[in-house]
Amino acid sequence: MDPLSITASIIAVLQLSSKVAEYVSTAAGATKQRKCVREGIRACEQILQQLKDEADDSDEGKAWSDTVKTLEAPGAPLGRLAVALTALKIRLEPKKGVDKAFAKLKWPFDEKEVEKIIAAIDREKSLLGLALANDSRKLIHDIKRSAKENGQQLTELIDTIKQTSKDNQDGLADLKDALASVQGSQARLQDGLDRLQNHHEAREDADECKAILDWLTGIDFASQQSDFINRRQAGTGQWLLDSPEFQAWLQTDKQTLFCPGIPGTGKTILTSIVVNELTTHFGDNKSIGVVYIYCNFRRQDEQKAQDLLASLLKQLTQGCSSLPNSVRSLHHDHKDKQTRPSFEEISRAIRSVAALYSRVFIIVDALDEAPFEDRDKFLEAMSNLQQEGQARSNIFATSRPEVGSHFAEHFEGYMSKEIRAADNDVLSYINGRLSTIRRPRLSKFPDLQDAIRKQVVKAADGMYVVVFLFIIAFS
């Protein structure tokens, strides 16, 4: 919704309050009473301006939309405040006629009326303050509790002003009708409160979910995925996605694809290409989960088997429309004792959350870099999830070849596809990098450039690390 339309009612009340405050200041006599009324109006103005600023904010405006709608709903404070200010305006505005227009108006309210005016303003100011504090729960409670009483007291204020005023009787009578319209039906008020309540509960649920997910693990592989996929040279890695092995793995439930490769063959970038392919292909299907981890020997202290499982559980939970009960219970069982869940508890939670999906794709890069003593434990948990879990889980893993024997112990009948840098991919990588570092002299000899490319591709023999060294030499 356009922020201007959200705050239109606030702007209207701000303009009205500014005009009334001006009339209060220019009236004659009763300095103390005028000061009290003016301060009450200015306090409301300050809160309303802050509410408007929050709603106008491009990032936070949507979150404030329901709050503002509730404030302007029938029986809510914004409409009543406008009526109270209008009553003051009718009584204070300059009289018509040239002589009367230049005459300074004597303060028309007695002490009793001033007390009622200040009380009316303060009651609505209190509710506006709750809105500004974003205390939705108390705001909803207080609007429900005070709607009828505040409306009655405002009606009494209008009647009192009408009785002591000789002018503008028609305007004050119309104002009572306006108040009745502002108060509206209880059903309309409830609609506004229900909308705010739903928004409040959704925000609380989101905050609870984030807190629990952060408690599970602080590791975020999404940033690594973004970094790796951005290093991809356009068009590279397609050979793996088009391979019979990958296609069979993709189309077969509970299938495992193990992709061994020696160091420097581009396993991690290929893993990011697989993750990108799956998230792009299944992105609109919320019943399919895609989760991934990037093992790194430099981070072994935070990549124990238990940590890796916790990351997979966090990612599966993030894909759910609401926080699964199994994850909430896991947090509840440990938060007061300030303990961490065991490996078995996390494994059970993963099986429970994975069962909420129709299919789950688990991508693991550089399995060989996971701590040796935890590797088999992690593979066993993945195998149990695939074989015993209700979800149809597919597992894709890259590693150095020596881990193959460990992998075979846990995944009977798995498929394998060796990772080697394809010549076309190596050539694309060379062309992409040469365009940024090409030497002026070399650019004059295209035949020499082609010869260098061919020799580098041949020397690479399926390893990007050779190309990387060549690039450094030419930089």
Side-chain angles (χ1 to χ4, degrees), residues 233-234 236 423-438 446 449-450 452-454 456-457 464 467 470-471:
Q233 197 68 36
T236 57
D423 288 351
N424 287 339
D425 284 4
V426 172
L427 187 58
S428 295
Y429 181 73
I430 293 172
N431 289 335
R433 295 304 300 272
L434 277 180
S435 65
T436 62
I437 64 168
R438 188 175 294 153
Q449 293 178 44
D450 290 340
I452 291 174
R453 291 189 186 97
K454 290 177 182 178
V456 173
V457 170
Y464 280 105
V467 184
F470 163 77
I471 296 297

Side-chain angles (χ1 to χ4, degrees), residues 190-205:
Q190 191 61 48
D191 286 343
L193 294 177
D194 287 346
R195 187 167 56 245
L196 183 60
Q197 179 70 33
N198 291 337
H199 175 75
H200 172 70
E201 290 176 353
R203 187 177 62 201
E204 281 193 333
D205 289 344

Side-chain angles (χ1 to χ4, degrees), residues 121-140:
I121 293 174
D122 283 348
R123 284 192 296 269
E124 310 310 338
K125 182 183 71 176
S126 175
L127 294 173
L128 294 175
L130 290 176
L132 182 61
N134 224 353
D135 191 345
S136 299
R137 189 182 298 279
K138 186 163 176 44
L139 176 62
I140 293 168

Side-chain angles (χ1 to χ4, degrees), residues 302-368:
E302 60 184 43
Q303 293 189 351
K304 307 291 186 184
Q306 190 167 320
D307 301 318
L308 298 179
L309 281 188
S311 178
L312 294 179
L313 175 59
K314 178 178 181 177
Q315 293 178 62
L316 285 173
T317 301
Q318 287 173 326
C320 295
S321 58
S322 59
L323 187 68
N325 290 332
S326 57
V327 178
R328 182 181 281 107
S329 297
L330 186 67
H331 177 251
H332 181 268
D333 292 342
H334 289 273
K335 66 174 182 177
D336 292 336
K337 295 180 287 187
Q338 296 185 343
T339 54
R340 299 295 301 169
S342 67
F343 182 86
E344 289 72 19
E345 287 177 309
I346 298 176
S347 296
R348 286 196 300 271
I350 284 183
R351 288 196 292 272
S352 175
V353 176
L356 301 175
Y357 292 87
S358 61
R359 292 188 74 185
V360 172
F361 292 92
I362 300 173
I363 316 300
V364 182
D365 178 59
L367 189 59
D368 57 284

Side-chain angles (χ1 to χ4, degrees), residues 407-431:
F407 203 84
E409 293 175 5
H410 299 285
F411 298 96
E412 183 178 349
Y414 71 90
M415 296 187 299
S416 181
K417 179 67 177 178
E418 183 184 5
I419 298 294
R420 284 177 57 84
D423 288 351
N424 287 339
D425 284 4
V426 172
L427 187 58
S428 295
Y429 181 73
I430 293 172
N431 289 335

